Amino acid sequence: MASLGQELVSGTAQKTPSLPDLNILQGAPVFQDKLHVGRPNIGNRDRLIERINDILDRKWLTNNGPYVQEFEQQIANFIGVKHCIATCNATIGLEIAIRAAGLKGEVIIPSFTFIATAHALQWQEITPVFCDIDPLTHTIDPQKIESMITPRTTGIIGVHLWGQACNIEILSKIASKHNLKLIFDAAHAFGCSYQGQMIGNFGELEVFSFHATKFLNSFEGGAVVTNNDELAAKIRLMENFGFAGLDNAVYVGTNGKMSEVSAAMGITSLESIHEFIEVNYQNYKSYEHELFGLPGVSLFKYNRAEKNTYQYIVLEVNESITHITRDQIIDILHTNNIIARKYFYPGCHRMKPYNSYFPHAGLLLPETERLSDRVLILPTGTSIDKFQIQSITKIIKDVIAEAMKNLPAGNNTVDISLN
Ligand code: T4K
């Protein structure tokens, strides 16, 4: 990341104050140790260690071991889906899922997602076609999809960003009208629901992530879930080199297997999910309370009629009101050891691999570009408490108050050059 100085000298924003003038930058960092977004939720350590000892005693470390089978069963039961195939991570899970569902040619996805959604396609030489998002839900905008369908389009991948479900009903109608496969990147959405039914039951299949930073973690891990027997059988073969039995590969496959130690962590995490949700919910409410009424800053609203895990604290900064940019606020948070993130800046279409293929994609993605330039993600989870949230939000409030105070009367435009 550019230093504060560099960013200001080369910055293009016109309505922001000079950071060195902000008193908030003086003094020692508010936090001595770094506060991270995505700190893992850790369940009961003793139970985890017991399970790891079991694994070592059994000397069965991977390849569809007993803990993987138990984890798969528990996930399937929890969301009420027929099949769960655990994988080593969600990216490989997506790659396998895309292949198993028969996607080829072009596939429509949102650009406002983690780069893995696009990579899982491009890795297999399938072109991701970037669609804009709905500014309220941050998920793919169904109204914009039909104009992106070409004779090469074979599918749509919706991403349930922040655990907020896509508009599945409309997406399903569009997919069936155009004979397209619909699958979901549900990396953020384990434990969340859509119209009262658990995510994991929609489209041809859905893919969860159990990465360390996710609500439920298995160190690294993921799962493909589906109610389709044929697809499930294919995915199970594909994730294990296509082996149908000893020395008998019947399919082209890869190595997407989850290890026993990951499954042990996953099972242990599952035992604590209600506690994790409660902590996240209380943290969310604290942020909501502390930020209430702050000009130019809005907190992403979860749909309270659904099940949510509140795993992401997503702010949108409107710099025309705050008079300080999102990036400047992040820099100040970082100097105070609060490692806020800009997920998913700058949007996949503006990242090098895709920008070079589609240099003008942004013309069709105004909401993606607007949001990715404004979004700011703050720490939550079991490592954060309400007093830390008060300190984090106090910095944000002070910095905005200071930025607004520093504006010359009647003039919104301040030169941000350091000279
Ligand atoms: N689809 C979507 C929509 C996704 O968001 C993701 C992953 C995927 C697909 C693919 O899922 P996986 O293949 O990963 O299962 C992180 C995660 O690595 C990634 O899993 C996640 N999304 C993405 C949103 O965030 P980075 O590049 O931001 O990771 P990093 O190393 O900066 O870590 C994030 C923060 O978490 C840091 O501030 C520190 C903290 N952290 C991280 C780890 C690994 C810890 O405190 N402890 C840890 O062990 O991608």
Side-chain angles (χ1 to χ4, degrees), residues 36-40 90-91 114 185 187-188 209 211 213-214 341 343:
H36 289 281
V37 169
R39 246 354 193 183
T91 305
F114 188 57
D185 175 340
H188 297 187
S209 171
H211 181 258
T213 55
K214 295 295 181 289
R341 300 294 298 260
Y343 293 135

Side-chain angles (χ1 to χ4, degrees), residues 237-297:
L237 283 173
M238 284 181 164
E239 74 142 13
N240 184 25
F241 313 102
F243 277 126
L246 286 186
D247 310 322
N248 184 24
V250 296
Y251 222 91
V252 175
T254 185
N255 183 355
K257 291 170 275 120
M258 177 178 270
S259 72
E260 282 292 274
V261 76
S262 278
M265 182 64 167
I267 294 166
T268 310
S269 301
L270 264 174
E271 288 169 345
S272 297
I273 54 173
H274 298 297
E275 178 200 321
F276 298 158
I277 292 174
E278 184 54 24
V279 169
N280 277 352
Y281 180 56
Q282 293 306 333
N283 285 349
Y284 181 84
K285 285 208 313 190
S286 297
Y287 275 112
E288 192 175 43
H289 175 76
E290 297 297 334
L291 294 169
F292 181 77
L294 182 63
V297 172

Side-chain angles (χ1 to χ4, degrees), residues 31-262:
F31 291 98
Q32 255 190 334
D33 298 323
K34 286 185 166 45
L35 297 188
H36 289 281
V37 169
R39 246 354 193 183
N41 290 325
I42 312 274
N44 184 308
R45 278 172 197 240
D46 294 338
R47 294 286 298 127
L48 175 65
I49 303 296
E50 261 174 48
R51 290 186 169 112
I52 293 174
N53 278 327
D54 276 353
I55 294 168
L56 299 177
D57 290 344
R58 236 184 337 244
K59 296 193 173 15
W60 196 274
L61 307 187
T62 185
N63 290 15
N64 202 26
Y67 278 136
V68 166
Q69 292 179 34
E70 185 181 335
F71 184 53
E72 288 178 342
Q73 196 55 57
Q74 288 189 9
I75 296 286
N77 292 346
F78 183 76
I79 59 179
V81 71
K82 246 169 129 180
H83 304 282
C84 169
I85 301 107
T87 56
C88 52
N89 58 53
T91 305
I92 298 288
L94 276 166
E95 287 173 16
I96 295 172
I98 285 163
R99 207 176 171 107
L103 300 186
K104 296 188 177 73
E106 292 176 4
V107 173
I108 299 171
I109 67 169
S111 174
F112 193 66
T113 178
F114 188 57
I115 197 73
T117 321
H119 282 351
L121 290 163
Q122 191 65 51
W123 192 251
Q124 3 199 12
E125 301 192 355
I126 301 167
T127 306
V129 173
F130 297 116
C131 184
D132 213 359
I133 45 160
D134 174 330
L136 278 184
T137 64
H138 299 186
T139 58
I140 195 163
D141 184 348
Q143 312 302 332
K144 308 254 172 74
I145 289 181
E146 285 192 285
S147 62
M148 314 202 95
I149 297 173
T150 74
R152 296 187 68 225
T153 311
T154 59
I156 302 167
I157 304 181
V159 181
H160 306 308
L161 214 75
W162 324 131
Q164 159 84 45
C166 300
N167 191 332
I168 297 175
E169 204 175 329
I170 302 188
L171 291 179
S172 306
K173 281 187 188 149
I174 296 171
S176 58
K177 178 174 160 199
H178 295 275
N179 201 19
L180 302 176
K181 297 275 168 36
L182 175 63
I183 73 174
F184 292 102
D185 175 340
H188 297 187
F190 180 75
C192 303
S193 69
Y194 175 73
Q195 294 184 352
Q197 192 174 5
M198 297 306 283
I199 299 283
N201 286 283
F202 299 99
E204 304 278 332
L205 55 82
E206 306 207 51
V207 182
F208 293 123
S209 171
F210 303 128
H211 181 258
T213 55
K214 295 295 181 289
F215 162 70
L216 179 115
N217 89 82
S218 61
F219 299 130
E220 285 268 7
V224 186
V225 290
T226 179
N227 287 306
N228 180 324
D229 299 343
E230 207 181 311
L231 213 42
K234 212 194 259 189
I235 290 163
R236 214 170 258 298
L237 283 173
M238 284 181 164
E239 74 142 13
N240 184 25
F241 313 102
F243 277 126
L246 286 186
D247 310 322
N248 184 24
V250 296
Y251 222 91
V252 175
T254 185
N255 183 355
K257 291 170 275 120
M258 177 178 270
S259 72
E260 282 292 274
V261 76
S262 278

